[in-house]
Amino acid sequence: MRRFEGRIAAVVGGGSGMGRAISHRLASEGAHVYVADLSEDAAKKVAEEIAADGGTASPVQVDATDNDSITALFDRIRSEHGVLHVLHAQVGMPGPGGIEVDDAQWQKNIDVNVKSAYYTCTLGYDLLRAADGKGSITMTSSTSALVGSPFSPVYSLTKGALVPFTRALALKGAPDGVRVNVICPGTVQTPMLAQFFGREPGADVSELTKDFVSGIPLGRGAQPEEIASVIAFLASDDASYVTGVTIPVDGGLTAK
C-alpha cells in the first residue's frame, strides 16, 4: 500500500525503537519522513536506512523538551513544504520506581512525557491544518495510563495525561480537519524495555520481563513493527472517521 504518497510526516522520537519502526512504515507507504530525535546520529541512521529501502527522509536533531528546538523543526518543514500531513509524538521515558520522587525527577518526567507531547502537537498544529482535511496527530502513551503502574505511579500520571489531552485536542481539531488519536502499547521489544524492569538496583530484568509477559493473553510482547502498523492505520485515510480515541495495543492486557 502507498497510503501516504506525496504526503509529509514527522516522527518526533523517530531514532529508535517504536519511533524508528513508525518512521520506516510511513516512508514505506510513500511519505517523506522527518526523523526527529534527540540523537542526531540516530536520526541520520534511520534516514539512511529509509533511503536504502527506497524511501525518502530528513534527519533532524530535536530536543522535544525545548520549545525553540521543536519550533525550529516545524519552521524547516514550513519552509520546505508548507504543510504537514502526519505528526507522531513518540518521546517518553520510564518513571522512577516508587513514590519517593525528588523535584528533579518529577520535573524531568513532566518535561519528557507531558510537555514534549503537548508542544509537539500544538506548535505543529498550523501545518496540519494546512493539509486540507488530511491532517493526523498521533501520540504514544502506555497501558500504564489505563490500568496504573504499581512500579511507577509517576509514569502512570504523566502518560495518563495524554489520554484526556487527545480527546480535547481532537475536539479542537475536528473543525479544521485534524484528527487526533493516542495508542497505549503494553510490553514492546525495544531498547527501552530493560529500563522499565530495571528500576531497582540488582533487579533480574530477564526474569521480571518473563513474568510480566506471562500475564499477557497473547503470551508475548509486541514487536515495534506491530505498533507502527497501528499508527499507519490511524494516520491514513482508512481511519478518516476516527478521532479522539485511545487504542490499547497490548496483546489483550487491558481486556482482563
Side-chain angles (χ1 to χ4, degrees):
M1 291 184 291
R2 302 281 291 183
R3 293 179 293 187
F4 303 106
E5 196 73 55
R7 298 190 187 185
I8 309 302
V11 180
V12 180
S16 65
M18 287 180 275
R20 172 181 174 273
I22 291 165
S23 296
H24 273 275
R25 179 59 183 264
L26 295 174
S28 74
E29 294 199 35
H32 178 84
V33 181
Y34 284 81
V35 182
D37 201 90
L38 183 61
S39 169
E40 185 176 10
D41 288 342
K44 287 181 177 178
K45 182 178 179 181
V46 173
E48 289 168 357
E49 292 170 350
I50 288 172
D53 288 339
T56 63
S58 300
V60 188
Q61 195 280 326
V62 171
D63 179 351
T65 68
D66 183 323
N67 289 357
D68 289 340
S69 184
I70 298 172
T71 297
L73 166 66
F74 292 130
D75 283 347
R76 176 176 170 180
I77 295 172
R78 184 177 295 105
S79 66
E80 293 178 355
H81 299 282
V83 66
L84 183 62
H85 301 89
V86 178
L87 174 61
H88 180 68
Q90 178 63 40
V91 173
M93 65 176 291
I99 59 174
E100 295 182 1
V101 181
D102 63 36
D103 284 348
Q105 290 176 313
W106 164 268
Q107 192 59 56
K108 183 176 182 180
N109 278 264
I110 291 292
D111 288 348
V112 174
N113 289 346
V114 181
K115 178 184 177 183
S116 71
Y118 181 85
Y119 285 106
T120 292
C121 296
T122 58
L123 292 175
Y125 184 82
D126 64 321
L127 283 168
L128 289 146
R129 187 169 53 189
D132 295 328
K134 302 294 186 182
S136 167
I137 295 173
T138 48
M139 291 173 264
T140 294
S141 179
S142 167
T143 53
S144 293
L146 305 177
V147 298
S149 169
F151 307 107
S152 178
V154 167
Y155 185 66
S156 285
L157 169 70
T158 55
K159 283 298 188 178
L162 303 189
V163 174
F165 174 52
T166 292
R167 293 196 293 265
L169 194 58
L171 296 177
K172 163 69 176 175
D176 295 324
V178 177
R179 297 181 299 103
V180 187
N181 297 290
V182 63
I183 62 167
C184 292
T187 301
V188 184
Q189 300 295 330
T190 71
M192 189 177 287
L193 182 60
Q195 298 179 39
F196 283 92
F197 294 103
R199 294 185 178 99
E200 300 299 327
D204 186 337
V205 174
S206 61
E207 193 63 29
L208 288 171
T209 304
K210 181 180 177 181
D211 289 345
F212 189 84
V213 169
S214 69
I216 298 173
L218 286 184
R220 63 177 179 83
Q223 294 300 314
E225 291 76 16
E226 294 178 294
I227 306 302
S229 67
V230 179
I231 293 300
F233 163 70
L234 289 172
S236 75
D237 291 346
D238 288 339
S240 59
Y241 204 58
V242 179
T243 194
V245 304
T246 301
I247 298 181
V249 190
D250 63 359
L253 182 67
T254 56
K256 295 193 298 181

